[in-house]
């Protein structure tokens, strides 16, 4: 398995096609950007990076992340559908955490079904904790809807402390989603 990190760029069109397929089949529409926006952000946002994992030239999985002053935010992490259940996700995420030089934050679906509970347990196996504060993912674009989710953290960042949670949420809202926290109705969570 090979790893490559892209900053201020996005992989070539062959890899891009594999990434797009995994991205669009792994996440519900409201929980992802339009793929052209991912490419634009990858090429223009200095805080954004793409970690791509390949084998024999094919994309196994990826982690799309943002590097902020006091934490890294994993916006999307996905493994190719036919490679799931073979240990690639665990290997890739462990590699990412090993390379991380700051606490890591990500969003997860609420534990409302077996799949979401398994995902949360997967991240907990790496030592993460899930915040108990309500969190609403703002819509990625006007044609999408907000989504009630939870934040999880790895490392020296306690999202069950209100001040730390608010600081992380405010950075995500302003930098990732382009909204101000005073424009979000938390009663939707």
């Amino acid at each position: 398995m090979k790893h490559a990190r892209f900053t201020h760029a996005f992989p070539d069109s062959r890899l891009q096609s594999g990434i797009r397929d995994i991205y669009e089949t792994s996440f519900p529409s409201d929980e992802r950007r339009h793929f052209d926006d991912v490419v634009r952000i990858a090429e223009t946002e200095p805080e954004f990076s793409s970690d791509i994992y390949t084998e024999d030239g094919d994309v196994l999985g990826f982690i799309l992340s943002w590097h902020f002053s006091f934490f890294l935010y994993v916006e999307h992490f996905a493994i190719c559908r036919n490679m799931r259940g073979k240990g690639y996700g665990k290997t890739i995420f462990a590699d990412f955490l090993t390379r991380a030089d700051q606490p890591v934050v990500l969003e997860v679906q609420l534990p409302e079904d077996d799949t979401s509970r398994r995902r949360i347990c997967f991240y907990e196996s790496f030592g993460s904790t899930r915040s108990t504060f309500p969190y609403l993912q703002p819509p990625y674009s006007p044609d999408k809807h907000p989504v009630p989710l939870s934040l999880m953290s790895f490392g020296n960042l306690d999202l069950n402390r209100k001040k730390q949670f608010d600081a992380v949420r405010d950075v995500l809202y302003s930098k990732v989603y382009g909204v101000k926290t005073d424009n979000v109705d938390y009663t939707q969570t």
Side-chain angles (χ1 to χ4, degrees), residues 158-172:
D158 185 354
L159 296 181
N160 285 311
R161 293 180 133 165
K162 184 72 168 137
K163 187 174 180 179
Q164 290 184 26
F165 174 85
D166 287 347
V168 166
R169 182 205 57 216
D170 291 353
V171 169
L172 295 179

Side-chain angles (χ1 to χ4, degrees), residues 23-35:
Y23 182 78
E24 291 180 346
T25 58
S26 297
F27 301 99
S29 177
D30 284 335
E31 294 180 32
R32 62 179 159 84
R33 300 176 188 280
H34 297 289
F35 193 74

